[in-house]
C-alpha cells in the first residue's frame, strides 16, 4: 500500500491556515507573564498575544491579540486560542476574528473563553486563518 501526502501553498486568495500542536514548554505565539512571543512567518506571524489573564470577577480567561496584516491584500483573520494550566492541560479555548484589515494595518481583537478558571493560565495560539477580504 502506498500513501502519498501533498502540501500546496496557497496565495492570498485562499485560506492560509497555520495549526500548531500543543507543547509543554512555551513556544512562539504563547504568552505568559514572564515571556514575550517570538516572530513567525506566514499568517501566524501576523498575530501576537499582548495580554493573557483570567478576569477576577467572571473567572473567564481572555487573550488580547494584535493582528498586523503583513500580506499584500486586505484580509480577514480567524484566530483560535487555548488556555492551559502550568502542566499544559487545556482548560478552555476561544476564537477571535477581525475583517478587512488593509495591508500594513493593525487590528486588536480579544479571544474570550467561557469556562470559569481558578488558576493562572498560559495563552497559546492554536490556529490562524487569513484570507483575502
Amino acid at each position: 500500500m502506498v500513501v502519498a501526502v501533498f502540501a500546496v501553498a496557497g496565495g492570498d486568495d485562499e485560506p492560509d491556515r497555520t495549526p500548531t500542536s500543543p507543547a509543554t514548554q512555551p513556544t512562539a505565539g504563547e504568552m505568559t507573564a514572564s515571556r514575550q512571543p517570538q516572530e513567525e512567518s506566514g499568517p501566524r506571524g501576523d498575530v501576537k498575544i499582548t495580554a493573557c489573564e483570567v478576569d477576577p470577577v467572571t473567572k473567564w480567561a481572555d487573550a488580547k491579540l494584535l493582528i498586523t496584516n503583513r500580506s499584500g491584500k486586505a484580509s480577514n483573520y480567524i484566530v483560535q486560542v487555548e488556555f492551559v494550566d502550568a502542566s499544559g492541560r487545556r482548560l478552555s479555548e476561544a476564537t477571535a476574528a477581525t475583517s478587512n484589515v488593509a495591508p500594513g494595518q493593525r487590528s486588536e481583537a480579544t479571544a474570550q473563553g467561557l469556562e470559569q478558571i481558578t488558576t493562572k493560565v498560559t495563552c497559546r495560539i492554536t490556529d490562524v486563518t487569513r484570507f483575502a477580504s
Side-chain angles (χ1 to χ4, degrees):
M1 172 191 250
V2 175
V3 177
V5 177
F6 296 94
V8 179
D12 280 341
D13 292 334
E14 296 185 22
D16 199 350
R17 298 174 57 88
T18 308
T20 57
S21 59
T24 56
Q25 297 295 318
T27 61
E30 293 180 4
M31 181 176 209
T32 63
S34 64
R35 185 166 193 151
Q36 295 295 318
Q38 298 175 354
E39 283 293 319
E40 284 197 36
S41 62
R44 174 94 185 234
D46 291 1
V47 182
K48 304 292 178 239
I49 298 171
T50 60
C52 177
E53 61 188 9
V54 176
D55 183 277
V57 176
T58 64
K59 304 290 187 220
W60 292 348
D62 69 52
K64 305 283 192 251
L65 307 172
L66 177 62
I67 300 166
T68 304
N69 184 355
R70 299 182 306 163
S71 77
K73 296 182 179 181
S75 297
N76 301 326
Y77 288 83
I78 301 169
V79 182
Q80 295 177 344
V81 176
E82 69 178 357
F83 307 102
V84 299
D85 65 14
S87 71
R89 184 174 60 102
R90 178 184 246 184
L91 303 173
S92 184
E93 65 279 331
T95 302
T98 189
S99 60
N100 204 29
V101 182
Q105 184 179 27
R106 293 179 175 194
S107 180
E108 294 179 347
T110 300
Q112 176 73 61
L114 298 176
E115 287 80 27
Q116 289 194 332
I117 298 173
T118 58
T119 187
K120 183 178 176 181
V121 297
T122 297
C123 297
R124 294 182 181 168
I125 297 170
T126 57
D127 192 46
V128 175
T129 302
R130 175 182 69 201
F131 55 95
S133 299

